[in-house]
Amino acid sequence: MSDHSTHSTASHGTFSQLMVGFALAAVLTLIPFGLIIFEVEITKTMMIGIIMGLGAVQIIVHLVYFLHLNSASEEGWTLTASIFALIVLLIVLAGSLWVMHNMNEHMMPMGNVDASQMMQTDPEAQGIAPSGESGN
């Protein structure tokens, strides 16, 4: 029979290390939340930069305190796999932001017209076919 009692020598962290990680994660979550809730008067670009920067720091906190990522465990393969995952994540995030920006730039401007007003005045938006085009 095989021996199932072997464990890796990597540390899983102490309770105090986990609590430090939890406290850091909580603070890094509350700061951006507070910036939005209390409507801090800073530029939109600065606000986005702060939120994304704190999000990046929070990712590092999770990797170090909860996933116990370091260069010594498993001969660096964990670090290599994490770097690859980070690169893929950055590509996905950058692509998403690029698509959302382009969609925002190329959408028809609504002006002062409310969407509910358009629904009330546009029969096609309500699913009503114009007369003579009932599809029969």
Side-chain angles (χ1 to χ4, degrees), residues 49-132:
I50 290 171
I51 291 172
M52 291 190 72
L54 290 173
V57 172
Q58 189 169 30
I59 289 171
I60 294 169
V61 166
H62 282 270
L63 289 173
V64 171
Y65 285 96
F66 301 126
L67 297 176
H68 311 291
L69 181 68
N70 58 28
S71 60
S73 65
E74 298 179 11
E75 299 176 9
W77 283 110
T78 305
L79 181 62
T80 304
S82 297
I83 290 172
F84 174 72
L86 182 65
I87 291 170
V88 170
L89 177 69
L90 289 174
I91 291 170
V92 169
L93 287 175
S96 298
L97 290 172
W98 180 43
V99 167
M100 288 187 289
H101 172 61
N102 281 336
M103 286 182 67
N104 188 37
E105 290 294 319
H106 295 100
M107 293 291 292
M108 182 186 310
M110 293 295 291
N112 293 332
V113 179
D114 190 29
S116 61
Q117 290 174 342
M118 285 184 61
M119 291 293 288
Q120 291 172 355
T121 59
D122 186 10
E124 288 182 17
Q126 297 174 355
I128 301 171
S131 61

Side-chain angles (χ1 to χ4, degrees), residues 37-59:
I37 291 297
F38 296 118
E39 299 176 358
V40 176
E41 294 294 326
I42 57 175
T43 65
K44 185 177 180 181
T45 306
M46 182 67 114
M47 180 79 74
I48 291 171
I50 290 171
I51 291 172
M52 291 190 72
L54 290 173
V57 172
Q58 189 169 30
I59 289 171

Side-chain angles (χ1 to χ4, degrees), residues 20-37:
V20 167
F22 174 74
L24 286 171
V27 168
L28 291 170
T29 300
L30 292 174
I31 291 172
F33 184 75
L35 290 174
I36 300 297
I37 291 297

